[in-house]
PDB file of all heavy atoms in Angstrom:
ATOM      1  N   ALA A1486      -4.321  -9.407  -3.894  1.00 70.00           N
ATOM      2  CA  ALA A1486      -5.139 -10.594  -3.639  1.00 70.00           C
ATOM      3  C   ALA A1486      -5.166 -11.482  -4.877  1.00 70.00           C
ATOM      4  O   ALA A1486      -5.128 -12.742  -4.755  1.00 70.00           O
ATOM      5  CB  ALA A1486      -6.555 -10.140  -3.291  1.00 70.00           C
ATOM      6  N   ASN A1487      -5.183 -10.908  -6.073  1.00 69.00           N
ATOM      7  CA  ASN A1487      -5.178 -11.716  -7.316  1.00 69.00           C
ATOM      8  C   ASN A1487      -3.866 -12.460  -7.469  1.00 69.00           C
ATOM      9  O   ASN A1487      -3.825 -13.505  -8.180  1.00 69.00           O
ATOM     10  CB  ASN A1487      -5.421 -10.827  -8.525  1.00 69.00           C
ATOM     11  CG  ASN A1487      -6.837 -10.338  -8.568  1.00 69.00           C
ATOM     12  OD1 ASN A1487      -7.755 -10.953  -8.053  1.00 69.00           O
ATOM     13  ND2 ASN A1487      -7.045  -9.165  -9.196  1.00 69.00           N
ATOM     14  N   CYS A1488      -2.787 -11.928  -6.884  1.00 74.00           N
ATOM     15  CA  CYS A1488      -1.495 -12.616  -6.955  1.00 74.00           C
ATOM     16  C   CYS A1488      -1.370 -13.740  -5.916  1.00 74.00           C
ATOM     17  O   CYS A1488      -0.326 -14.374  -5.854  1.00 74.00           O
ATOM     18  CB  CYS A1488      -0.351 -11.593  -6.758  1.00 74.00           C
ATOM     19  SG  CYS A1488      -0.185 -10.442  -8.117  1.00 74.00           S
ATOM     20  N   GLY A1489      -2.439 -13.934  -5.157  1.00 72.00           N
ATOM     21  CA  GLY A1489      -2.440 -15.072  -4.232  1.00 72.00           C
ATOM     22  C   GLY A1489      -2.161 -14.666  -2.783  1.00 72.00           C
ATOM     23  O   GLY A1489      -2.042 -15.585  -1.932  1.00 72.00           O
ATOM     24  N   ALA A1490      -2.028 -13.408  -2.502  1.00 71.00           N
ATOM     25  CA  ALA A1490      -1.736 -13.000  -1.123  1.00 71.00           C
ATOM     26  C   ALA A1490      -2.978 -13.151  -0.269  1.00 71.00           C
ATOM     27  O   ALA A1490      -4.031 -12.691  -0.647  1.00 71.00           O
ATOM     28  CB  ALA A1490      -1.242 -11.555  -1.094  1.00 71.00           C
ATOM     29  N   PRO A1491      -2.856 -13.803   0.919  1.00 75.00           N
ATOM     30  CA  PRO A1491      -4.009 -13.893   1.789  1.00 75.00           C
ATOM     31  C   PRO A1491      -4.386 -12.515   2.376  1.00 75.00           C
ATOM     32  O   PRO A1491      -3.575 -11.579   2.319  1.00 75.00           O
ATOM     33  CB  PRO A1491      -3.538 -14.856   2.900  1.00 75.00           C
ATOM     34  CG  PRO A1491      -2.021 -14.749   2.850  1.00 75.00           C
ATOM     35  CD  PRO A1491      -1.671 -14.461   1.449  1.00 75.00           C
ATOM     36  N   PRO A1492      -5.568 -12.372   2.922  1.00 73.00           N
ATOM     37  CA  PRO A1492      -6.016 -11.051   3.429  1.00 73.00           C
ATOM     38  C   PRO A1492      -5.082 -10.455   4.455  1.00 73.00           C
ATOM     39  O   PRO A1492      -4.831  -9.212   4.425  1.00 73.00           O
ATOM     40  CB  PRO A1492      -7.382 -11.359   4.074  1.00 73.00           C
ATOM     41  CG  PRO A1492      -7.880 -12.567   3.307  1.00 73.00           C
ATOM     42  CD  PRO A1492      -6.672 -13.364   3.012  1.00 73.00           C
ATOM     43  N   LEU A1493      -4.543 -11.277   5.320  1.00 76.00           N
ATOM     44  CA  LEU A1493      -3.610 -10.716   6.345  1.00 76.00           C
ATOM     45  C   LEU A1493      -2.362 -10.165   5.698  1.00 76.00           C
ATOM     46  O   LEU A1493      -1.852  -9.093   6.110  1.00 76.00           O
ATOM     47  CB  LEU A1493      -3.288 -11.793   7.396  1.00 76.00           C
ATOM     48  CG  LEU A1493      -2.644 -11.295   8.696  1.00 76.00           C
ATOM     49  CD1 LEU A1493      -3.610 -10.351   9.415  1.00 76.00           C
ATOM     50  CD2 LEU A1493      -2.274 -12.468   9.589  1.00 76.00           C
ATOM     51  N   GLN A1494      -1.836 -10.852   4.730  1.00 75.00           N
ATOM     52  CA  GLN A1494      -0.660 -10.403   4.016  1.00 75.00           C
ATOM     53  C   GLN A1494      -0.924  -9.128   3.225  1.00 75.00           C
ATOM     54  O   GLN A1494      -0.095  -8.223   3.158  1.00 75.00           O
ATOM     55  CB  GLN A1494      -0.098 -11.475   3.110  1.00 75.00           C
ATOM     56  CG  GLN A1494       1.199 -11.096   2.440  1.00 75.00           C
ATOM     57  CD  GLN A1494       1.783 -12.238   1.587  1.00 75.00           C
ATOM     58  OE1 GLN A1494       1.205 -13.317   1.525  1.00 75.00           O
ATOM     59  NE2 GLN A1494       2.880 -12.003   0.904  1.00 75.00           N
ATOM     60  N   VAL A1495      -2.142  -9.051   2.631  1.00 72.00           N
ATOM     61  CA  VAL A1495      -2.527  -7.824   1.906  1.00 72.00           C
ATOM     62  C   VAL A1495      -2.564  -6.669   2.874  1.00 72.00           C
ATOM     63  O   VAL A1495      -2.110  -5.546   2.523  1.00 72.00           O
ATOM     64  CB  VAL A1495      -3.913  -8.029   1.243  1.00 72.00           C
ATOM     65  CG1 VAL A1495      -4.396  -6.688   0.648  1.00 72.00           C
ATOM     66  CG2 VAL A1495      -3.833  -9.097   0.151  1.00 72.00           C
ATOM     67  N   PHE A1496      -3.072  -6.909   4.064  1.00 75.00           N
ATOM     68  CA  PHE A1496      -3.196  -5.797   5.039  1.00 75.00           C
ATOM     69  C   PHE A1496      -1.779  -5.281   5.425  1.00 75.00           C
ATOM     70  O   PHE A1496      -1.536  -4.075   5.409  1.00 75.00           O
ATOM     71  CB  PHE A1496      -3.927  -6.288   6.273  1.00 75.00           C
ATOM     72  CG  PHE A1496      -3.980  -5.237   7.365  1.00 75.00           C
ATOM     73  CD1 PHE A1496      -4.898  -4.206   7.320  1.00 75.00           C
ATOM     74  CD2 PHE A1496      -3.091  -5.317   8.443  1.00 75.00           C
ATOM     75  CE1 PHE A1496      -4.938  -3.245   8.319  1.00 75.00           C
ATOM     76  CE2 PHE A1496      -3.135  -4.358   9.448  1.00 75.00           C
ATOM     77  CZ  PHE A1496      -4.055  -3.319   9.376  1.00 75.00           C
ATOM     78  N   PHE A1497      -0.889  -6.184   5.738  1.00 76.00           N
ATOM     79  CA  PHE A1497       0.455  -5.789   6.221  1.00 76.00           C
ATOM     80  C   PHE A1497       1.367  -5.341   5.071  1.00 76.00           C
ATOM     81  O   PHE A1497       2.306  -4.565   5.316  1.00 76.00           O
ATOM     82  CB  PHE A1497       1.116  -6.909   6.999  1.00 76.00           C
ATOM     83  CG  PHE A1497       0.572  -7.085   8.382  1.00 76.00           C
ATOM     84  CD1 PHE A1497      -0.270  -8.147   8.680  1.00 76.00           C
ATOM     85  CD2 PHE A1497       0.849  -6.185   9.370  1.00 76.00           C
ATOM     86  CE1 PHE A1497      -0.794  -8.322   9.963  1.00 76.00           C
ATOM     87  CE2 PHE A1497       0.360  -6.336  10.702  1.00 76.00           C
ATOM     88  CZ  PHE A1497      -0.489  -7.409  10.967  1.00 76.00           C
ATOM     89  N   SER A1498       1.124  -5.804   3.881  1.00 77.00           N
ATOM     90  CA  SER A1498       2.018  -5.479   2.760  1.00 77.00           C
ATOM     91  C   SER A1498       1.555  -4.296   1.951  1.00 77.00           C
ATOM     92  O   SER A1498       2.373  -3.576   1.357  1.00 77.00           O
ATOM     93  CB  SER A1498       2.178  -6.680   1.846  1.00 77.00           C
ATOM     94  OG  SER A1498       2.687  -7.789   2.487  1.00 77.00           O
ATOM     95  N   VAL A1499       0.217  -4.033   1.905  1.00 75.00           N
ATOM     96  CA  VAL A1499      -0.327  -2.988   1.023  1.00 75.00           C
ATOM     97  C   VAL A1499      -1.065  -1.936   1.862  1.00 75.00           C
ATOM     98  O   VAL A1499      -0.703  -0.716   1.788  1.00 75.00           O
ATOM     99  CB  VAL A1499      -1.251  -3.555  -0.017  1.00 75.00           C
ATOM    100  CG1 VAL A1499      -1.855  -2.471  -0.889  1.00 75.00           C
ATOM    101  CG2 VAL A1499      -0.551  -4.609  -0.905  1.00 75.00           C
ATOM    102  N   THR A1500      -2.045  -2.363   2.639  1.00 77.00           N
ATOM    103  CA  THR A1500      -2.906  -1.398   3.338  1.00 77.00           C
ATOM    104  C   THR A1500      -2.153  -0.615   4.420  1.00 77.00           C
ATOM    105  O   THR A1500      -2.211   0.624   4.432  1.00 77.00           O
ATOM    106  CB  THR A1500      -4.124  -2.130   3.953  1.00 77.00           C
ATOM    107  OG1 THR A1500      -4.750  -2.932   2.981  1.00 77.00           O
ATOM    108  CG2 THR A1500      -5.106  -1.109   4.528  1.00 77.00           C
ATOM    109  N   LEU A1501      -1.492  -1.340   5.261  1.00 78.00           N
ATOM    110  CA  LEU A1501      -0.832  -0.670   6.396  1.00 78.00           C
ATOM    111  C   LEU A1501       0.289   0.304   5.930  1.00 78.00           C
ATOM    112  O   LEU A1501       0.339   1.425   6.449  1.00 78.00           O
ATOM    113  CB  LEU A1501      -0.263  -1.699   7.348  1.00 78.00           C
ATOM    114  CG  LEU A1501       0.329  -1.143   8.670  1.00 78.00           C
ATOM    115  CD1 LEU A1501      -0.742  -0.369   9.441  1.00 78.00           C
ATOM    116  CD2 LEU A1501       0.879  -2.271   9.538  1.00 78.00           C
ATOM    117  N   PRO A1502       1.168  -0.096   4.980  1.00 79.00           N
ATOM    118  CA  PRO A1502       2.136   0.900   4.505  1.00 79.00           C
ATOM    119  C   PRO A1502       1.489   2.161   3.892  1.00 79.00           C
ATOM    120  O   PRO A1502       2.017   3.256   4.020  1.00 79.00           O
ATOM    121  CB  PRO A1502       2.954   0.130   3.469  1.00 79.00           C
ATOM    122  CG  PRO A1502       2.825  -1.292   3.872  1.00 79.00           C
ATOM    123  CD  PRO A1502       1.425  -1.445   4.400  1.00 79.00           C
ATOM    124  N   ALA A1503       0.339   1.970   3.236  1.00 79.00           N
ATOM    125  CA  ALA A1503      -0.319   3.105   2.614  1.00 79.00           C
ATOM    126  C   ALA A1503      -0.864   4.098   3.611  1.00 79.00           C
ATOM    127  O   ALA A1503      -0.864   5.321   3.381  1.00 79.00           O
ATOM    128  CB  ALA A1503      -1.438   2.609   1.709  1.00 79.00           C
ATOM    129  N   VAL A1504      -1.341   3.585   4.773  1.00 81.00           N
ATOM    130  CA  VAL A1504      -1.929   4.485   5.780  1.00 81.00           C
ATOM    131  C   VAL A1504      -0.920   4.818   6.865  1.00 81.00           C
ATOM    132  O   VAL A1504      -1.264   5.481   7.846  1.00 81.00           O
ATOM    133  CB  VAL A1504      -3.187   3.834   6.421  1.00 81.00           C
ATOM    134  CG1 VAL A1504      -4.204   3.538   5.376  1.00 81.00           C
ATOM    135  CG2 VAL A1504      -2.808   2.591   7.217  1.00 81.00           C
ATOM    136  N   MET A1505       0.356   4.390   6.697  1.00 82.00           N
ATOM    137  CA  MET A1505       1.355   4.647   7.752  1.00 82.00           C
ATOM    138  C   MET A1505       1.538   6.107   8.086  1.00 82.00           C
ATOM    139  O   MET A1505       1.744   6.490   9.255  1.00 82.00           O
ATOM    140  CB  MET A1505       2.697   3.985   7.346  1.00 82.00           C
ATOM    141  CG  MET A1505       3.720   4.029   8.450  1.00 82.00           C
ATOM    142  SD  MET A1505       3.179   3.208   9.969  1.00 82.00           S
ATOM    143  CE  MET A1505       3.011   1.508   9.428  1.00 82.00           C
ATOM    144  N   PRO A1506       1.496   7.039   7.104  1.00 81.00           N
ATOM    145  CA  PRO A1506       1.618   8.461   7.462  1.00 81.00           C
ATOM    146  C   PRO A1506       0.522   8.887   8.466  1.00 81.00           C
ATOM    147  O   PRO A1506       0.793   9.633   9.401  1.00 81.00           O
ATOM    148  CB  PRO A1506       1.453   9.189   6.118  1.00 81.00           C
ATOM    149  CG  PRO A1506       1.947   8.203   5.108  1.00 81.00           C
ATOM    150  CD  PRO A1506       1.503   6.870   5.620  1.00 81.00           C
ATOM    151  N   GLY A1507      -0.696   8.406   8.247  1.00 82.00           N
ATOM    152  CA  GLY A1507      -1.766   8.716   9.189  1.00 82.00           C
ATOM    153  C   GLY A1507      -1.541   8.095  10.549  1.00 82.00           C
ATOM    154  O   GLY A1507      -1.870   8.687  11.603  1.00 82.00           O
ATOM    155  N   VAL A1508      -0.991   6.886  10.570  1.00 85.00           N
ATOM    156  CA  VAL A1508      -0.748   6.196  11.829  1.00 85.00           C
ATOM    157  C   VAL A1508       0.324   6.954  12.643  1.00 85.00           C
ATOM    158  O   VAL A1508       0.186   7.156  13.833  1.00 85.00           O
ATOM    159  CB  VAL A1508      -0.301   4.733  11.567  1.00 85.00           C
ATOM    160  CG1 VAL A1508       0.153   4.056  12.875  1.00 85.00           C
ATOM    161  CG2 VAL A1508      -1.408   3.926  10.911  1.00 85.00           C
ATOM    162  N   ILE A1509       1.367   7.371  11.935  1.00 83.00           N
ATOM    163  CA  ILE A1509       2.441   8.121  12.616  1.00 83.00           C
ATOM    164  C   ILE A1509       1.913   9.450  13.128  1.00 83.00           C
ATOM    165  O   ILE A1509       2.191   9.863  14.257  1.00 83.00           O
ATOM    166  CB  ILE A1509       3.625   8.329  11.662  1.00 83.00           C
ATOM    167  CG1 ILE A1509       4.260   6.990  11.299  1.00 83.00           C
ATOM    168  CG2 ILE A1509       4.699   9.244  12.295  1.00 83.00           C
ATOM    169  CD1 ILE A1509       5.353   7.099  10.262  1.00 83.00           C
ATOM    170  N   THR A1510       1.112  10.150  12.285  1.00 82.00           N
ATOM    171  CA  THR A1510       0.529  11.427  12.677  1.00 82.00           C
ATOM    172  C   THR A1510      -0.329  11.259  13.906  1.00 82.00           C
ATOM    173  O   THR A1510      -0.190  11.996  14.882  1.00 82.00           O
ATOM    174  CB  THR A1510      -0.277  12.022  11.519  1.00 82.00           C
ATOM    175  OG1 THR A1510       0.579  12.205  10.403  1.00 82.00           O
ATOM    176  CG2 THR A1510      -0.884  13.367  11.921  1.00 82.00           C
ATOM    177  N   GLY A1511      -1.242  10.302  13.877  1.00 84.00           N
ATOM    178  CA  GLY A1511      -2.152  10.065  14.994  1.00 84.00           C
ATOM    179  C   GLY A1511      -1.405   9.658  16.253  1.00 84.00           C
ATOM    180  O   GLY A1511      -1.781  10.091  17.359  1.00 84.00           O
ATOM    181  N   SER A1512      -0.380   8.842  16.077  1.00 86.00           N
ATOM    182  CA  SER A1512       0.358   8.359  17.262  1.00 86.00           C
ATOM    183  C   SER A1512       1.077   9.504  17.963  1.00 86.00           C
ATOM    184  O   SER A1512       1.035   9.609  19.216  1.00 86.00           O
ATOM    185  CB  SER A1512       1.386   7.304  16.821  1.00 86.00           C
ATOM    186  OG  SER A1512       0.762   6.212  16.207  1.00 86.00           O
ATOM    187  N   LEU A1513       1.726  10.362  17.211  1.00 84.00           N
ATOM    188  CA  LEU A1513       2.413  11.493  17.817  1.00 84.00           C
ATOM    189  C   LEU A1513       1.430  12.447  18.468  1.00 84.00           C
ATOM    190  O   LEU A1513       1.681  12.974  19.558  1.00 84.00           O
ATOM    191  CB  LEU A1513       3.231  12.263  16.761  1.00 84.00           C
ATOM    192  CG  LEU A1513       4.496  11.519  16.276  1.00 84.00           C
ATOM    193  CD1 LEU A1513       5.130  12.283  15.126  1.00 84.00           C
ATOM    194  CD2 LEU A1513       5.493  11.357  17.392  1.00 84.00           C
ATOM    195  N   LEU A1514       0.294  12.629  17.814  1.00 83.00           N
ATOM    196  CA  LEU A1514      -0.741  13.533  18.393  1.00 83.00           C
ATOM    197  C   LEU A1514      -1.279  12.937  19.693  1.00 83.00           C
ATOM    198  O   LEU A1514      -1.476  13.672  20.664  1.00 83.00           O
ATOM    199  CB  LEU A1514      -1.853  13.740  17.384  1.00 83.00           C
ATOM    200  CG  LEU A1514      -2.896  14.779  17.741  1.00 83.00           C
ATOM    201  CD1 LEU A1514      -2.253  16.139  17.991  1.00 83.00           C
ATOM    202  CD2 LEU A1514      -3.962  14.894  16.668  1.00 83.00           C
ATOM    203  N   MET A1515      -1.567  11.646  19.713  1.00 86.00           N
ATOM    204  CA  MET A1515      -2.066  11.017  20.939  1.00 86.00           C
ATOM    205  C   MET A1515      -1.055  11.086  22.044  1.00 86.00           C
ATOM    206  O   MET A1515      -1.405  11.303  23.221  1.00 86.00           O
ATOM    207  CB  MET A1515      -2.406   9.530  20.644  1.00 86.00           C
ATOM    208  CG  MET A1515      -3.564   9.335  19.674  1.00 86.00           C
ATOM    209  SD  MET A1515      -5.151   9.843  20.366  1.00 86.00           S
ATOM    210  CE  MET A1515      -5.404   8.602  21.612  1.00 86.00           C
ATOM    211  N   PHE A1516       0.204  10.936  21.724  1.00 87.00           N
ATOM    212  CA  PHE A1516       1.262  11.038  22.721  1.00 87.00           C
ATOM    213  C   PHE A1516       1.320  12.431  23.332  1.00 87.00           C
ATOM    214  O   PHE A1516       1.435  12.604  24.571  1.00 87.00           O
ATOM    215  CB  PHE A1516       2.636  10.676  22.126  1.00 87.00           C
ATOM    216  CG  PHE A1516       3.751  10.555  23.107  1.00 87.00           C
ATOM    217  CD1 PHE A1516       3.941   9.348  23.758  1.00 87.00           C
ATOM    218  CD2 PHE A1516       4.576  11.613  23.384  1.00 87.00           C
ATOM    219  CE1 PHE A1516       4.974   9.234  24.691  1.00 87.00           C
ATOM    220  CE2 PHE A1516       5.584  11.497  24.327  1.00 87.00           C
ATOM    221  CZ  PHE A1516       5.802  10.290  24.966  1.00 87.00           C
ATOM    222  N   ILE A1517       1.246  13.447  22.507  1.00 84.00           N
ATOM    223  CA  ILE A1517       1.262  14.833  22.982  1.00 84.00           C
ATOM    224  C   ILE A1517       0.067  15.150  23.893  1.00 84.00           C
ATOM    225  O   ILE A1517       0.184  15.739  24.934  1.00 84.00           O
ATOM    226  CB  ILE A1517       1.362  15.798  21.793  1.00 84.00           C
ATOM    227  CG1 ILE A1517       2.682  15.656  21.076  1.00 84.00           C
ATOM    228  CG2 ILE A1517       1.234  17.270  22.317  1.00 84.00           C
ATOM    229  CD1 ILE A1517       2.760  16.505  19.795  1.00 84.00           C
ATOM    230  N   LEU A1518      -1.107  14.731  23.428  1.00 84.00           N
ATOM    231  CA  LEU A1518      -2.335  14.982  24.175  1.00 84.00           C
ATOM    232  C   LEU A1518      -2.286  14.300  25.542  1.00 84.00           C
ATOM    233  O   LEU A1518      -2.687  14.872  26.563  1.00 84.00           O
ATOM    234  CB  LEU A1518      -3.561  14.529  23.380  1.00 84.00           C
ATOM    235  CG  LEU A1518      -3.864  15.357  22.090  1.00 84.00           C
ATOM    236  CD1 LEU A1518      -4.984  14.685  21.305  1.00 84.00           C
ATOM    237  CD2 LEU A1518      -4.222  16.787  22.466  1.00 84.00           C
ATOM    238  N   ALA A1519      -1.838  13.056  25.549  1.00 85.00           N
ATOM    239  CA  ALA A1519      -1.724  12.334  26.813  1.00 85.00           C
ATOM    240  C   ALA A1519      -0.677  12.922  27.732  1.00 85.00           C
ATOM    241  O   ALA A1519      -0.800  12.959  28.956  1.00 85.00           O
ATOM    242  CB  ALA A1519      -1.423  10.860  26.582  1.00 85.00           C
ATOM    243  N   LEU A1520       0.380  13.414  27.140  1.00 82.00           N
ATOM    244  CA  LEU A1520       1.466  14.044  27.941  1.00 82.00           C
ATOM    245  C   LEU A1520       0.975  15.278  28.656  1.00 82.00           C
ATOM    246  O   LEU A1520       1.442  15.567  29.771  1.00 82.00           O
ATOM    247  CB  LEU A1520       2.608  14.420  26.999  1.00 82.00           C
ATOM    248  CG  LEU A1520       3.999  14.666  27.605  1.00 82.00           C
ATOM    249  CD1 LEU A1520       4.564  13.406  28.165  1.00 82.00           C
ATOM    250  CD2 LEU A1520       4.927  15.211  26.574  1.00 82.00           C
ATOM    251  N   ASN A1521       0.037  15.995  28.068  1.00 80.00           N
ATOM    252  CA  ASN A1521      -0.443  17.231  28.668  1.00 80.00           C
ATOM    253  C   ASN A1521      -1.796  17.098  29.353  1.00 80.00           C
ATOM    254  O   ASN A1521      -2.333  18.111  29.825  1.00 80.00           O
ATOM    255  CB  ASN A1521      -0.564  18.305  27.563  1.00 80.00           C
ATOM    256  CG  ASN A1521       0.780  18.707  26.993  1.00 80.00           C
ATOM    257  OD1 ASN A1521       1.503  19.514  27.576  1.00 80.00           O
ATOM    258  ND2 ASN A1521       1.130  18.130  25.848  1.00 80.00           N
ATOM    259  N   GLU A1522      -2.308  15.895  29.393  1.00 80.00           N
ATOM    260  CA  GLU A1522      -3.648  15.702  29.991  1.00 80.00           C
ATOM    261  C   GLU A1522      -3.610  15.976  31.496  1.00 80.00           C
ATOM    262  O   GLU A1522      -2.806  15.411  32.206  1.00 80.00           O
ATOM    263  CB  GLU A1522      -4.158  14.281  29.746  1.00 80.00           C
ATOM    264  CG  GLU A1522      -5.549  14.020  30.304  1.00 80.00           C
ATOM    265  CD  GLU A1522      -6.546  14.976  29.757  1.00 80.00           C
ATOM    266  OE1 GLU A1522      -6.707  15.105  28.514  1.00 80.00           O
ATOM    267  OE2 GLU A1522      -7.217  15.665  30.583  1.00 80.00           O
ATOM    268  N   PHE A1523      -4.502  16.837  31.966  1.00 78.00           N
ATOM    269  CA  PHE A1523      -4.517  17.193  33.391  1.00 78.00           C
ATOM    270  C   PHE A1523      -5.758  16.733  34.113  1.00 78.00           C
ATOM    271  O   PHE A1523      -5.686  16.048  35.156  1.00 78.00           O
ATOM    272  CB  PHE A1523      -4.403  18.735  33.509  1.00 78.00           C
ATOM    273  CG  PHE A1523      -4.852  19.266  34.847  1.00 78.00           C
ATOM    274  CD1 PHE A1523      -4.134  19.005  36.010  1.00 78.00           C
ATOM    275  CD2 PHE A1523      -6.035  19.999  34.961  1.00 78.00           C
ATOM    276  CE1 PHE A1523      -4.537  19.470  37.226  1.00 78.00           C
ATOM    277  CE2 PHE A1523      -6.448  20.474  36.188  1.00 78.00           C
ATOM    278  CZ  PHE A1523      -5.706  20.216  37.313  1.00 78.00           C
TER     279      PHE A1523
END
């Protein structure tokens, strides 16, 4: 932000890459759970 990046750019350039392991983990887990939902 101090370098002039707007909030949206900070989110996509810094925040989202940092939490991407959790996003991938949750996505695969949600897919498996939905696949087996009865």
Side-chain angles (χ1 to χ4, degrees):
N1487 290 333
C1488 291
L1493 195 61
Q1494 185 177 356
V1495 172
F1496 176 80
F1497 284 105
S1498 301
V1499 179
T1500 308
L1501 187 58
V1504 301
M1505 189 57 65
V1508 174
I1509 296 174
T1510 300
S1512 301
L1513 289 174
L1514 188 58
M1515 293 293 291
F1516 188 86
I1517 294 174
L1518 292 172
L1520 198 68
N1521 293 278
E1522 182 56 55
F1523 160 69

